[in-house]
Amino acid sequence: MIALEGNGHENLIVTDGERNQVPAIRIVIAEDQAHVRRGAAHLLSLEQDMEVVGQACNGAEAVELARVLQPDVILMDLHMPVKGGVAATREIIQMLPATQILVLTTLHDDETVFEAVRAGAHAYLLKDAAEDELLETIRALKRGESRLTPQIARKVMDQFARLAAVSTLGPNREESAAPSSPQKGAGAAGEGRAEVLNDKEQRVLQLISEGLSNRQIADAMYLAEGTIKNYVSRIMEKLHANTRIALALISKGQARQK
């Protein structure tokens, strides 16, 4: 076991474990509460296909561990000192797009989760989720899947709905509404409002919310898969979203407003 000291803390622990057959899922835990961090590490260490390679007590340490260790999955608390989980998630995703971020949150944290979704996190679980749900979510992330529990989805959907509502305004209405719009603060500070989606982009967004892959959307719309990828990129840019989870929530938010 190699202990890396950081900011005077006992964490930043890296454990080299031996695994047979399929390589273990390499996990970093970022959590400022030591008992929670250690409990999660103990639980995951009992699984043959998982290995906790590092622990951090704040977002800055999480970013540094991610850079050094390049883990498969990071369990990310949102409220940590020095650097919060949202900022850490954004930096890690930009630096290591293949690393999957699993946000652990509470039902009372919908606004911060909203920002974490936009930062690019791949899955979201409540901190009181069952152990089996946590383990299955980690394995799903390793397979390239995204997960969002229904409870969290409901809590953050209204945040996305307010942002997405602007995309349904025509250019003239959007301009006239700009000075007094109460929804301007829905996104991160300094970001512009969502742009208008055309009919095909709205259709692609709807199919994303139904869980279809780019290939399935291409088949449904009789278009090339590369064309759909371009549509998805434009939609993400217009709606200031970084993940398909964000797009799905925006689409569901639009549906609830109709």
Side-chain angles (χ1 to χ4, degrees), residues 9 20 33 39 41 60 83 86 106 145 151 154 158 164 166-167 177 190 193 197 201 215 226-227 233 240:
H9 297 290
N20 297 322
Q33 298 185 52
K83 186 190 295 289
V86 172
T106 70
E145 302 174 15
Q151 302 101 312
R154 285 193 296 269
D158 287 342
V166 183
S167 72
R193 291 190 301 274
L197 300 184
E201 290 167 344
R215 166 51 60 188
T227 301
S233 296
H240 312 298

Side-chain angles (χ1 to χ4, degrees), residues 67-104:
R67 183 188 66 80
V68 173
L69 300 173
Q70 300 188 16
D72 299 308
V73 176
I74 298 177
L75 273 57
M76 182 74 72
D77 183 28
L78 292 181
H79 298 288
M80 294 184 290
V82 185
K83 186 190 295 289
V86 172
T89 293
R90 185 176 294 110
E91 288 188 37
I92 293 169
I93 291 298
Q94 292 176 349
M95 178 174 55
L96 301 169
T99 294
Q100 306 290 297
I101 306 291
L102 167 52
V103 167
L104 298 177

